[in-house]
Amino acid sequence: FVLISACLVANGNDSKKFKGDIRSPGIPSRVIHVRKLPNDINEAEVISLGLPFGKVTNLLMLKGKNQAFIEMNTEEAAQTMVTYYSSVTPVIRNHPIFMQYSNHKELKTDNSPNQVRAQAALQAVNAVQTGSMTMASVDTSGMGAHSPVLRIIVENLFYPVTLDVLHQIFSKFGTVLKIITFTKNNQFQALLQYSDGLTAQHAKLALDGQNIYNACCTLRINFSKLTSLNVKYNNDKSRDYTRPDLPTGDSQPTIDHQAMAAAFGAPGIISATPYTGAHGFPPAFAIQQAAGLTMPGVPGALASLAIPGAAAAAAAAGRLSFSGLTSGQCVLLVSNLNPEVITPQCLFILFGVYGDVMRVKILFNKKENALVQMADATQAQLAMSHLNGQKLHGKALRVTLSKHTNVQLPREGQEDQGLTKDFSNSPLHRFKKPGSKNYQNIFPPSATLHLSNIPPSVVEDDLKQLFASSGALVKAFKFFQKDRKMALIQMGSVEEAIQSLIEFHNHDLGENHHLRVSFSKSTI
């Protein structure tokens, strides 16, 4: 491929060539320098550091120096990765890992044994990512052959953990095929099957030792000796996502009315059968943000990293309100805004998808920066993990935690130009009610929007014309079959969908109906 600028060339046995790689922590590059790796690190583990942020396009291992270079497919993906890991240090086998930008713009590897092995690992991962190959047909020798089934124990079970909570957490790393929950030795446990062993390995690396809630509900994860699960019923205790036709069982409680049942459930029926491949489910590696990589010595709270279902389950059980999950920073610093068009109302609507926005302040002398105060730290983490790197008004947002503990309103008589707004009493807050269903419908920005509260008189053409009126492309539209108060609309891009959500959420459709708009996980 054509070189963009200086290339980084390596002979696997000669790491002296890298002494000249003077790293520039402040200058973004697609190439990231990773240091202080454990001696027994393998290629798959290094690749897994980059997978949550985008596609890893090249890998260079310097095992003699406990270092590696990861090349991401875009500079934006690399920026998101470095920004995230600057606040959450990844740990592999009790080794804190450090990374920063390389001053090289691209990697070029040779045919030494070390690099051939790295390229083989990378090709295997890419084949599975694109769905062109299943892990059953990929030679994963040297990467560690692991079962696709994980055994999960939840220790210190202070709040209930449900099957749906586990599914939401573990789906961040790939397609979850089956889950069985049970109680053994007075501990809540689960068996969870992915489509392949490599996905299971990534999930175990990232989630083992994490807390679902602050200081409790700790995940202990090992590979199971089973290679496949046999699920007979789809209910609170067990689920086969490849077989939606399965019965719920004669005396099983329903999922809707027994939110706590899975926390203290009975065993499912398990049989060991040979693993026969990936069942055609390519894992969804390319998620927007990493989900809960361990901080040295302190397991992080997954509930603060985009796991709203966990909060919903606990709130539904009457044990916890969403705002009580974490304490800490609830003010976000949003930078790289377009100062010509940005308004407090715009940020209120967008960040309000992930929590209740209390106040917004666009900085008077630096209008490309703003402070957004969420109702609590959990919501702040949710918003940061989903919106950092997303494009708004043609510019990629940078969202980080602010050192401020709250947003100050201007003093009486102080010039402000309407740059500071207090939304604490807004009727548009989505999460005022503890256990609200909105917690279960939080998804990353996507090109497809979910519309609701549509009056009977409004037809498909009305909504398509409305969303096209801003100049955006409407690619597809579909009413829900059972409930025409709801619909899906697919925009031309994620950026257009974000802009449309901001513009048309709470739009007056007449008949006392205001349109509700959110991001959808579905496509049309």
Side-chain angles (χ1 to χ4, degrees):
F1 44 81
V2 179
L3 301 186
I4 296 172
S5 69
C7 282
L8 190 55
V9 186
N11 178 312
N13 301 316
D14 183 10
S15 59
K16 292 179 181 177
K17 295 183 181 182
F18 295 93
K19 287 186 176 177
D21 186 53
I22 302 168
R23 293 165 299 284
S24 309
I27 303 174
S29 164
R30 287 197 301 134
V31 180
I32 296 167
H33 184 201
V34 186
R35 298 176 292 119
K36 298 196 175 180
L37 294 167
N39 291 327
D40 55 348
I41 190 91
N42 65 43
E43 288 79 1
E45 289 174 303
V46 177
I47 294 168
S48 72
L49 291 169
L51 285 178
F53 305 93
K55 185 177 180 182
V56 178
T57 50
N58 213 342
L59 171 68
L60 187 59
M61 298 288 288
L62 299 177
K63 290 195 173 182
K65 289 198 164 190
N66 301 92
Q67 298 178 18
F69 289 85
I70 298 173
E71 178 189 282
M72 303 299 291
N73 62 330
T74 65
E75 192 174 285
E76 187 173 283
Q79 282 184 287
T80 305
M81 179 176 170
V82 170
T83 300
Y84 180 80
Y85 287 136
S86 66
S87 59
V88 181
T89 305
V91 173
I92 296 178
R93 286 192 288 285
N94 297 318
H95 280 253
I97 311 300
F98 299 95
M99 59 186 74
Q100 55 199 134
Y101 299 117
S102 166
N103 67 345
H104 296 276
K105 296 293 182 186
E106 200 167 65
L107 291 179
K108 185 178 179 182
T109 50
D110 60 17
N111 293 321
S112 66
N114 278 349
Q115 301 318 316
V116 169
R117 180 186 169 103
Q119 293 306 305
L122 198 57
Q123 286 168 17
V125 170
N126 286 338
V128 176
Q129 268 190 293
T130 58
S132 62
M133 201 177 291
T134 67
M135 283 307 299
S137 57
V138 174
D139 178 12
T140 57
S141 59
M143 291 193 292
H146 295 293
S147 165
V149 178
L150 295 174
R151 178 173 175 245
I152 303 156
I153 298 174
V154 183
E155 296 179 347
N156 194 15
L157 190 72
F158 189 69
Y159 299 117
V161 174
T162 68
L163 181 147
D164 289 325
V165 168
L166 293 176
H167 181 261
Q168 194 157 7
I169 293 170
F170 284 81
S171 290
K172 293 289 180 186
F173 297 87
T175 302
V176 175
L177 302 186
K178 305 171 186 178
I179 304 177
I180 294 171
T181 64
F182 54 96
T183 300
K184 184 177 180 182
N185 300 330
N186 291 322
Q187 286 183 311
F188 175 60
Q189 302 190 24
L191 292 167
L192 181 145
Q193 182 180 337
Y194 278 114
S195 21
D196 57 79
L198 188 58
T199 310
Q201 183 183 19
H202 293 152
K204 181 181 181 299
L205 277 171
L207 299 177
D208 188 25
Q210 288 287 354
N211 291 339
I212 297 176
Y213 302 107
N214 258 12
C216 67
C217 300
T218 307
L219 295 171
R220 301 294 179 204
I221 304 172
N222 289 295
F223 292 104
S224 171
K225 292 177 182 177
L226 301 174
T227 53
S228 185
L229 301 178
N230 180 26
V231 175
K232 290 195 172 184
Y233 303 112
N234 281 341
N235 53 45
D236 283 352
K237 315 284 194 304
S238 60
R239 198 80 56 85
D240 185 339
Y241 297 95
T242 70
R243 291 282 312 278
D245 57 313
L246 288 178
T248 59
D250 294 335
S251 59
Q252 298 291 338
T254 63
I255 292 166
D256 290 340
H257 302 297
Q258 298 290 337
M260 268 185 72
F264 310 99
I269 300 169
I270 307 164
S271 67
T273 54
Y275 178 51
T276 55
H279 305 286
F281 283 85
F285 283 134
I287 59 174
Q288 292 286 330
Q289 287 286 327
L293 292 168
T294 7
M295 296 179 71
V298 185
L302 288 177
S304 68
L305 290 170
I307 312 296
R319 296 279 296 281
L320 179 70
S321 70
F322 190 64
S323 60
L325 273 173
T326 57
S327 59
Q329 296 160 293
C330 59
V331 179
L332 297 169
L333 173 63
V334 186
S335 53
N336 204 37
L337 295 165
N338 186 330
E340 303 298 320
V341 290
I342 197 65
T343 65
Q345 178 70 16
C346 163
L347 293 173
F348 166 71
I349 296 295
L350 178 57
F351 281 75
V353 173
Y354 300 106
D356 292 337
V357 177
M358 298 291 106
R359 293 176 180 177
V360 177
K361 178 189 284 288
I362 296 172
L363 302 191
F364 188 79
N365 293 321
K366 293 183 178 179
K367 291 187 174 65
E368 65 277 6
N369 298 294
L371 295 173
V372 177
Q373 181 179 335
M374 307 298 290
D376 59 51
T378 298
Q379 295 180 7
Q381 287 278 4
L382 264 177
M384 181 172 67
S385 67
H386 283 305
L387 294 176
N388 183 45
Q390 296 292 341
K391 281 196 171 181
L392 176 62
H393 303 132
K395 304 187 76 174
L397 293 176
R398 293 286 167 260
V399 185
T400 57
L401 292 171
S402 169
K403 62 184 179 182
H404 296 281
T405 55
N406 68 307
V407 170
Q408 296 285 344
L409 295 174
R411 294 187 297 274
E412 193 174 341
Q414 184 180 359
E415 186 183 2
D416 180 64
Q417 298 178 352
L419 297 176
T420 306
K421 294 285 184 185
D422 186 348
F423 296 100
S424 56
N425 295 316
S426 171
L428 296 184
H429 286 161
R430 298 178 190 242
F431 306 99
K432 279 187 292 191
K433 295 179 183 176
S436 164
K437 283 187 177 180
N438 289 335
Y439 288 123
Q440 301 168 46
N441 296 311
I442 296 176
F443 302 108
S446 62
T448 305
L449 296 170
H450 180 276
L451 312 181
S452 60
N453 204 34
I454 302 167
S457 61
V458 172
V459 297
E460 178 176 333
D461 283 347
D462 296 331
L463 290 165
K464 287 166 75 172
Q465 287 174 18
L466 175 67
F467 278 77
S469 65
S470 62
L473 172 66
V474 175
K475 294 181 75 173
F477 182 94
K478 184 176 74 173
F479 271 113
F480 280 55
Q481 285 185 340
K482 293 183 179 179
D483 187 355
R484 289 180 65 85
K485 293 178 183 176
M486 295 191 290
L488 296 176
I489 188 166
Q490 187 175 335
M491 310 306 294
S493 66
V494 175
E495 184 178 1
E496 285 190 348
I498 289 173
Q499 194 57 50
S500 298
L501 181 144
I502 291 169
E503 192 162 347
F504 299 118
H505 179 63
N506 201 44
H507 182 82
D508 190 351
L509 294 175
E511 301 177 44
N512 203 25
H513 282 68
H514 287 77
L515 186 65
R516 297 284 176 262
V517 186
S518 55
F519 297 114
S520 174
K521 65 176 179 180
S522 306
T523 54
I524 302 174

